Amino acid sequence: MPKTRILIVEDEESILLPLEDNLRLEGYEVSSAKDGLQGLSMAKDGNFDLIVLDIMLPKMDGFEVCKRLRQDKIATPILILTAKSQEVDKVLGLELGADDYVTKPFSPRELLARIKAILRRAQQTQQGVDVFRFGDVEVDFKKYEAKKAGNPIDLTALEFALLHFLIANSGQVVHRNKILDEIWGENVYIEPRTVDKHISLVRKKVEDDPQNPRFIVGVRGVGYKFVA
Ligand code: CA
């Protein structure tokens, strides 16, 4: 099996070097870029399995790198490194299409757990259900393509995984904590509002009326249910 390839875009050597070492010890093939422009061009050409992306970078910041990659339809999962809590709100608020974020300072174990969770769900999404249709939506989980009323819609790798998980459990209420464990990984601390935020992003893309969802139904205080 080919090695899993990870690109790290980070200008601070005190973070970059130990991170590179850690990931190599785990058996990943690691490349790195020290500014946003170089990171963007490597990410576009490199066919990576995952990108770890810092926000504060020389030449082009991580927000812009993330935005441009998604504009160019590059669906490689992105894990964002943020230094401040203000940036976290921006990451969530901008709907950049990032898959997860970790706040600095982070422990190597925490970061590794997140990385493994992202890679695991990217793999799972590629297995199992291939094409699924509901309403006027068609989702191809193998090709990472989705359409609504025949028009392409952009779902991030995380949104594909979330939808895949809900569909796999169709008709059952899936507890928010179960979604967290499944999508973000166990032993990882994520605020429950992150689940709600991503559910609301998926609804905006697939539901006719996201305020009154027909397919992704919320069960107050518990979680969500996919209704075909
Ligand atoms: Ca930085």
Side-chain angles (χ1 to χ4, degrees), residues 3-222:
K3 271 194 177 183
T4 302
R5 305 181 64 234
I6 299 179
L7 172 65
I8 309 169
V9 190
E10 167 65 82
D11 58 318
E12 285 158 74
E13 287 201 339
S14 63
I15 292 175
L16 174 64
L17 300 180
L19 186 53
E20 280 182 320
D21 286 347
N22 270 320
L23 293 179
R24 284 191 184 121
L25 276 173
E26 289 289 321
Y28 299 114
E29 192 181 315
V30 184
S31 304
S32 62
K34 287 185 179 170
D35 67 66
L37 273 182
Q38 190 194 8
L40 179 65
S41 97
M42 286 175 75
K44 279 184 177 175
D45 301 335
N47 197 24
F48 290 97
D49 298 292
L50 175 78
I51 300 164
V52 179
L53 179 62
D54 186 32
I55 293 288
M56 293 301 287
L57 290 166
K59 295 188 185 170
M60 180 186 287
D61 71 25
F63 292 120
E64 188 65 24
V65 173
C66 191
K67 208 173 83 190
R68 293 205 189 181
L69 286 173
R70 293 308 187 230
Q71 275 168 359
D72 286 353
K73 309 281 175 226
I74 290 167
T76 311
I78 297 175
L79 173 66
I80 285 191
L81 302 180
T82 67
K84 302 173 221 134
S85 53
Q86 301 96 289
E87 286 178 357
V88 171
D89 289 331
K90 213 174 159 194
V91 169
L92 291 173
L94 279 179
E95 304 181 5
L96 291 168
D99 292 82
D100 199 0
Y101 65 87
V102 171
T103 313
K104 293 178 184 176
F106 50 81
S107 76
R109 260 179 59 190
E110 167 79 2
L111 189 71
L112 195 62
R114 300 282 190 96
I115 285 174
K116 285 187 170 163
I118 294 176
L119 291 169
R120 184 173 48 85
R121 69 175 183 247
Q123 261 170 6
Q124 277 174 355
T125 311
Q126 282 157 17
Q127 298 158 357
V129 197
D130 286 0
V131 180
F132 191 85
R133 294 180 187 84
F134 56 98
D136 60 355
V137 176
E138 183 181 302
V139 189
D140 187 327
F141 289 104
K142 266 221 161 73
K143 294 187 191 157
Y144 280 94
E145 285 172 3
K147 282 180 189 163
K148 180 166 174 59
N151 301 309
I153 48 179
D154 283 332
L155 291 171
T156 65
L158 185 140
E159 289 162 1
F160 273 108
L162 194 52
L163 196 53
H164 190 264
F165 185 57
L166 291 174
I167 288 171
N169 291 282
S170 265
Q172 300 170 45
V173 179
V174 186
H175 199 282
R176 201 186 266 101
N177 288 337
K178 186 122 190 280
I179 299 176
L180 281 177
D181 285 352
E182 177 67 24
I183 306 293
W184 280 267
E186 286 171 40
N187 311 315
V188 165
Y189 179 73
I190 301 271
E191 295 166 66
R193 70 167 177 146
T194 310
V195 175
D196 302 327
K197 176 80 196 168
H198 285 281
I199 289 277
S200 111
L201 290 173
V202 176
R203 278 177 173 159
K204 274 190 207 166
K205 296 174 185 180
V206 303
E207 297 276 358
D208 290 337
D209 179 2
Q211 299 304 318
N212 296 294
R214 197 179 129 199
F215 301 107
I216 305 171
V217 179
V219 180
R220 193 178 290 272
V222 183

